[in-house]
Amino acid sequence: MENLRGIIMMTVSMAGFALEDMFIKLASEHMPVGQIMMILGAAGAFIFFLFARRHGLSLFARDLFTAPVLLRNLGEIVAGVGFITAIALTPISSASAILQATPLAVTLGAAIVFKAQVGWRRWLAIGIGMIGVLMVVQPGLDGFQPASLFAVIAVAGLALRDLSVRRVPATLSSLQLAAWGFAVLVPVGAVMLAISGGATPVTGQSALYLLGASVMGPAGYYAVVEATRIGDVAVVTPFRYFRLLFAMIVGVTVFSETPDVLTLTGAAIIITSGLYTFLRERRLLRQR
């Protein structure tokens, strides 16, 4: 029953993230990316600051300013800028498909940075997964959109975030990290806004979109934390890929997107490679 609850929570969280992406894309039709990033960063930081204070956690603990945490925040910035821009400028289905390569990038980074042992099977899976990313991006073909490279940048940022967290002091909680992860988006969004020419008035419609994104993002985060806490990681983690399914449903129904064969095939390759890499790693850990 705990695994079932974990699966449900993971599925709910992925639906929440897909809806957050939908609201961001809708909002991007009315305001620049920098303005969206500032508002979402401030809203997310406020929510997680409240939760952290409720649990008696310090928001300015010394460990929050160590190198691993600062690198994690840098990863959040790169990922935020990359993915929000990708959502605004490219089909939500293709941006989400590229994002699914994050676990492969993390495995690659762990092998390079931490000298983690990666056998030839996982190296092969990483290579095949990257081919899947190229199929979605489609460089040199008629379907190529240069803005899709922002999603690739987001993958690099998320990989940096997830790798840095392995060195984060154990004294820090996920609430503290999440609060600062959102907070650092505010000044970056302000800089982007200044470069792009300034803010636009927030209408009632765009305010509703921003409210939806501000609610769905933290709700999805809470659900994914609960899923991994109450369910076996090996059971619930594969359901992370439901985010792509929900994103494609949103893309087709809300934005009238029609993913081509290359995008669908590339997404399938990315997911298969990611699942294989994860399951292979779990198997090796059990054998040790």
Side-chain angles (χ1 to χ4, degrees):
M1 287 302 296
E2 288 183 347
N3 280 337
L4 178 60
R5 288 172 55 204
I7 289 171
I8 292 173
M9 292 299 289
M10 182 63 77
T11 304
V12 168
S13 71
M14 295 304 106
F17 287 138
L19 289 174
E20 178 193 25
D21 296 344
M22 177 192 74
F23 286 124
I24 290 174
K25 189 169 182 65
L26 289 170
S28 69
E29 298 174 358
H30 302 274
M31 61 183 64
V33 169
Q35 186 173 355
I36 295 173
M37 188 172 298
M38 281 186 64
I39 295 172
L40 294 185
F46 177 73
I47 291 172
F48 283 108
F49 276 144
L50 287 181
F51 276 112
R53 294 302 299 168
R54 182 179 180 184
H55 287 79
L57 300 172
S58 173
L59 302 176
F60 299 96
R62 180 177 300 178
D63 286 345
L64 283 168
F65 303 97
T66 55
V69 178
L70 296 178
L71 280 175
R72 182 191 184 279
N73 290 340
L74 176 61
E76 291 278 19
I77 290 171
V78 174
V81 172
F83 196 57
I84 292 177
T85 305
I87 290 175
L89 301 179
T90 67
I92 195 171
S93 52
S94 62
S96 297
I98 295 171
L99 200 71
Q100 305 312 307
T102 300
L104 298 173
V106 171
T107 301
L108 176 63
I112 295 174
V113 178
F114 299 131
K115 308 301 180 184
Q117 293 184 353
V118 177
W120 68 269
R121 293 181 180 84
R122 282 190 287 166
W123 278 117
L124 181 61
I126 291 172
I128 294 174
M130 294 309 165
I131 292 174
V133 172
L134 290 175
M135 293 177 69
V136 176
V137 176
Q138 301 178 28
L141 301 179
D142 291 338
F144 174 60
Q145 297 186 47
S148 63
L149 295 176
F150 281 107
V152 178
I153 293 173
V155 170
L158 291 174
L160 174 60
R161 181 198 68 182
D162 292 348
L163 289 169
S164 300
V165 105
R166 302 186 182 192
R167 295 291 186 267
V168 166
T171 56
L172 299 177
S173 78
S174 57
L175 291 175
Q176 292 167 299
L177 294 175
W180 279 103
F182 275 101
V184 295
L185 298 180
V186 177
V188 176
V191 172
M192 293 177 63
L193 195 57
I195 294 174
S196 66
T200 60
V202 178
T203 64
Q205 186 178 31
S206 57
L208 288 176
Y209 295 151
L210 292 169
L211 177 62
S214 299
V215 171
M216 289 300 168
Y221 177 86
Y222 171 80
V224 76
V225 170
E226 283 295 299
T228 53
R229 185 180 66 85
I230 64 180
D232 185 88
V233 174
V235 174
V236 302
T237 295
F239 287 86
R240 283 179 178 269
Y241 291 103
F242 270 43
R243 178 173 183 169
L244 177 56
L245 173 63
F246 292 132
M248 287 191 169
I249 292 174
V250 167
V252 171
T253 58
V254 178
F255 300 106
S256 301
E257 298 176 1
T258 53
D260 58 22
V261 175
L262 272 179
T263 298
L264 294 174
T265 305
I269 291 174
I270 294 170
I271 291 175
T272 303
S273 300
L275 283 174
Y276 176 81
T277 302
F278 170 75
L279 295 174
R280 180 69 182 172
E281 184 175 352
R282 293 289 299 181
R283 180 181 177 184
L284 293 175
L285 287 175
R286 288 177 179 176
Q287 290 176 350
R288 292 173 185 172

